[in-house]
Amino acid sequence: MTERFQAALAKAFGDGYADADPVIRPSQFADFQANAALALAKRLGENPRAVAQKIVDALDLTGIAEPPEISGPGFVNVRLSSAWIGAQVDGFDDRLGVPLQSPLTIPVDYSAPNVAKEMHVGHLRTTVVGDALVRTLEHLGHHVIRQNHVGDWGTMFGMLIEHLLDVGEDSPDAQLMVTDPNAFYAAANAEFQSDPEFATRARSRVVKLQGGDEDTLRHWHELVDLSKQYFNRIYDTLGVTLTDADLAGESTYNDELAGICDELEAQGIATISDGALCVFLDGYTGREGKPVPLIIRKSDGGYGYATTDLATIRRRVRDMKADRILYVIGVTQALHLNMVWDTARKAGWLTDDVEVVHVQIGSVLGEDRKLLRTRSGKPLKLMDLLEEAVSTARAVVDEARPDLDESVRAAIAPQVGIGAIKYADLSVAHDSDYVFDLDRMVSLTGNTGPYLQYAAARIRSIFRSAGLDPDQLSGQADAPLVITEPAERALALALLDFGDVVVHVGDQLEPHRLCGYLFELAQQFSAFYEQCPVLKADTEARASRLALCKATLAVLDQGLDLLGIARPQQM
């Protein structure tokens, strides 16, 4: 459409206008509205409606749209041809209108739990949002490198290793690392606080760990491997694509930290302040205008998050050859990340041709609009939350579909419960907080995951009733899509937006836009289904409407898959 309008502008006003923006927008009076005449009128010294008329006279929309109309002060209204809309949907291939972009290398840092610590509700959003983004970016053709930056190094591991040796590596207490990591950590910490001899052993073990002692490293690997089993239970339950191969823990940067400090000091970027090695950057001040330091080596010689984060960005640029780097991390980390990035820029590790983005993650709130916690005030364990969602969804499925076999309902419940939580999280702008309301999330009505899952399942039921498999329909060859009714046209037109929406999600990193689109598409389908009989229509209309149903199902399935939400075969 833009190309056609630009050709008309060049024809009407000269080649100097060939690249002018035709200012095409959706319109309540037509499908689209071109507002270029208003902007060009001053430049041309003419009446806007006269400019609009010249544009229309030069415009060729043959085969695409009905003859354009001028309205108001000079708007050019365009209504697409129903035949053209039908042909576009009919011509959908497996990509459903989603283009393949020029591939970029994009490391994405997300999830990032800690070894020997329970994942809590705070890990939900970074994991779910990050996974939706990597799925979308990969679908757009990019080379995505998942980076699960787990906390797997530090002084606490001396305490944890000694506790592991005390309880026995094959003991039930050791298995708590898999089933209840917090309990294992709490027991180790209790020993550390109450038993001086244990505390001495733990501190000695830290020295051995940092010195590369072979036996100590073996026990450290055991702890990490036990935590991997726990992480994978969570990831399998959530249906996210992270694997052990994506782990890029703090430990993997350990050998680089001293060199990073030396290089920053040699360049004059880092200086000693109160015994610590710090970077002071222009523009970062605290109370009373005092400079805020980025501490890269503590006064005791230890390293912190800043040092490790500098190592991550250097490796991602230098070794991974990143074009774009995403950090799917809480909003509270914005200052820290900006200081790390600015330090990396000064050091020459982060170059201007690499885009770094903080995908800021808001909080999950309780009904009191405070951080969601247990009744005792502790952070809510993520697995407890997921199990509650599945249990609640099972009650909804049992009530809605008592006719289904028990085994079928048992299989559907996790898909609905986990899908409900993920959709509720993704449907809100990622930098916004939201209130966790499980009853609303699992509802089969409203803007919820189960509503979308039900919409897709309902389309599958139409094909089952017709004795057909939508995957076996060959589209245009057997059933040309002929649009005759307004509801058909509205649904088909909505389907054509899918590609642009997916591109927007990948470019702007906003999964909630895809959620909103899918919800509106499901509503359009519902209106179509109510107003246009499918199976009871005459032969030609039936075949055409089945083709439209197939395209809608394909888009719903693909969209839900990009969000990481399961699609039950029936609901």
Side-chain angles (χ1 to χ4, degrees):
M1 188 71 68
T2 296
E3 291 173 358
R4 299 274 183 134
F5 266 91
Q6 287 179 331
L9 292 173
K11 183 178 179 181
F13 309 114
D15 292 340
Y17 293 85
D19 295 327
D21 181 3
V23 197
I24 298 174
R25 302 286 186 268
S27 170
Q28 60 179 323
F29 304 110
D31 294 323
F32 298 103
Q33 178 178 282
N35 301 339
L38 281 71
L40 291 175
K42 276 189 179 180
R43 184 174 167 187
L44 293 167
E46 297 184 32
N47 180 280
R49 281 190 69 93
V51 173
Q53 187 61 58
K54 290 181 180 180
I55 294 173
V56 168
D57 291 342
L59 187 61
D60 180 12
L61 295 179
T62 304
I64 295 179
E66 299 171 5
E69 297 178 349
I70 299 172
S71 68
F75 303 127
V76 178
N77 292 335
V78 176
R79 179 178 170 83
L80 296 172
S81 157
S82 293
W84 182 85
I85 295 171
Q88 299 309 302
V89 175
D90 222 3
F92 268 175
D93 58 15
D94 290 342
R95 296 204 55 80
L96 304 171
V98 178
L100 280 171
Q101 297 181 324
S102 297
L104 302 176
T105 297
I106 309 177
V108 182
D109 188 327
Y110 69 109
S111 193
N114 291 310
V115 166
K117 294 279 187 73
E118 190 93 32
M119 288 179 72
H120 55 78
V121 68
H123 290 105
L124 174 66
R125 299 204 73 188
T126 175
T127 304
V128 168
V129 171
D131 207 58
L133 290 176
V134 299
R135 286 168 179 264
T136 301
L137 291 166
E138 283 183 332
H139 189 61
L140 287 166
H142 299 294
H143 172 48
V144 176
I145 305 174
R146 292 163 175 78
Q147 294 278 276
N148 192 357
H149 188 65
V150 297
D152 64 350
W153 198 252
T155 56
M156 72 173 185
F157 280 92
M159 173 184 81
L160 294 170
I161 291 171
E162 286 301 319
H163 182 62
L164 177 67
L165 294 174
D166 284 355
V167 301
E169 298 169 54
D170 298 321
S171 68
D173 285 345
Q175 282 302 306
L176 287 173
M177 284 286 291
V178 179
T179 58
D180 191 357
N182 281 3
F184 184 92
Y185 183 91
N189 190 52
E191 274 196 275
F192 185 84
Q193 299 296 333
S194 64
D195 185 343
E197 187 273 335
F198 177 87
T200 300
R201 283 192 285 125
R203 293 189 184 98
S204 175
R205 185 66 68 176
V206 172
V207 176
K208 291 179 181 179
L209 178 64
Q210 293 176 340
D213 176 70
E214 187 175 331
D215 189 56
T216 300
L217 284 173
R218 181 177 66 82
H219 295 310
W220 172 78
H221 278 295
E222 289 176 14
L223 286 172
V224 173
D225 288 342
L226 288 168
S227 272
K228 285 180 186 177
Q229 294 179 50
Y230 165 73
F231 297 154
N232 289 333
R233 282 181 59 225
I234 295 284
Y235 295 147
D236 288 345
T237 302
L238 267 177
V240 299
T241 57
L242 286 168
T243 68
D244 289 351
D246 304 314
L247 292 173
E250 294 172 355
S251 63
T252 64
Y253 300 95
N254 192 54
D255 294 341
E256 302 175 29
L257 303 185
I260 279 176
C261 292
D262 291 344
E263 188 173 338
L264 290 174
E265 195 168 13
Q267 291 189 53
I269 297 171
T271 56
I272 299 294
S273 177
D274 294 329
L277 186 62
C278 305
V279 175
F280 292 94
L281 298 162
D282 293 339
Y284 293 94
T285 56
R287 293 179 180 176
E288 300 175 357
K290 293 183 178 179
V292 175
L294 184 71
I295 300 174
I296 60 172
R297 189 177 65 221
K298 302 174 186 176
S299 57
D300 63 3
Y303 305 107
Y305 293 126
T307 330
T308 307
D309 287 339
L310 284 167
T312 67
I313 198 160
R314 186 175 71 168
R315 184 183 296 180
R316 290 165 186 174
V317 174
R318 183 187 64 190
D319 301 339
M320 297 179 184
K321 310 298 183 186
D323 300 298
R324 191 184 194 197
I325 307 173
L326 310 185
Y327 290 78
V328 188
I329 299 175
V331 295
T332 57
Q333 298 301 310
L335 175 64
H336 169 78
L337 282 178
N338 283 322
M339 293 184 75
V340 166
W341 296 343
D342 283 350
T343 300
R345 288 187 182 97
K346 288 191 72 172
W349 301 333
L350 177 58
T351 51
D352 291 341
D353 59 336
V354 179
E355 180 189 14
V356 286
V357 184
H358 180 192
V359 183
Q360 299 188 4
I361 300 298
S363 300
V364 184
L365 308 178
E367 292 180 359
D368 58 0
R369 302 199 68 82
K370 297 180 180 179
L371 291 178
L372 185 62
R373 296 181 179 275
T374 63
R375 290 181 179 176
S376 64
K378 295 180 180 179
L380 185 61
K381 295 178 181 179
L382 183 52
M383 185 57 84
D384 289 349
L385 190 73
L386 301 181
E387 289 174 349
E388 183 183 359
V390 173
S391 175
T392 303
R394 178 60 192 268
V396 170
V397 172
D398 284 347
E399 181 178 354
R401 294 300 306 275
D403 55 306
L404 292 177
D405 187 78
E406 196 280 335
S407 62
V408 174
R409 283 181 277 129
I412 292 173
Q415 295 177 310
V416 173
I418 301 303
I421 282 185
K422 294 178 79 170
Y423 184 84
D425 201 298
L426 291 165
S427 62
V428 176
H430 57 70
D431 56 351
S432 300
D433 300 340
Y434 73 92
V435 174
F436 190 89
D437 182 348
L438 193 52
D439 289 335
R440 181 190 64 79
M441 292 175 179
V442 300
S443 173
L444 294 174
T445 59
N447 188 8
T448 68
Y451 174 74
L452 295 183
Q453 291 172 317
Y454 175 72
R458 181 164 65 165
I459 299 175
R460 288 191 178 88
S461 73
I462 293 171
F463 284 98
R464 280 195 298 272
S465 297
L468 299 170
D469 180 350
D471 294 329
Q472 300 302 315
L473 295 181
S474 55
Q476 192 170 11
D478 290 338
L481 205 162
V482 179
I483 293 174
T484 58
E485 299 295 330
E488 294 174 316
R489 188 180 191 280
L491 177 58
L493 199 56
L495 291 170
L496 296 184
D497 284 336
F498 182 57
D500 286 342
V501 171
V502 175
V503 167
H504 178 93
V505 172
D507 290 349
Q508 302 301 319
L509 310 174
E510 295 181 333
H512 71 280
R513 302 292 184 188
L514 179 56
C515 293
Y517 166 79
L518 294 175
F519 175 59
E520 291 177 8
L521 180 67
Q523 289 184 307
Q524 291 281 10
F525 178 80
S526 182
F528 155 77
Y529 190 65
E530 290 175 6
Q531 297 172 35
C532 303
V534 177
L535 299 182
K536 294 182 179 180
D538 62 51
T539 302
E540 183 178 347
R542 182 179 189 270
S544 175
R545 289 170 184 172
L546 282 171
L548 193 52
C549 288
K550 177 192 173 183
T552 305
L553 177 60
V555 169
L556 284 173
D557 274 352
Q558 180 66 79
L560 288 170
D561 185 64
L562 294 178
L563 297 173
I565 294 175
R567 289 92 65 205
Q569 294 297 305
Q570 52 184 326
M571 283 180 67

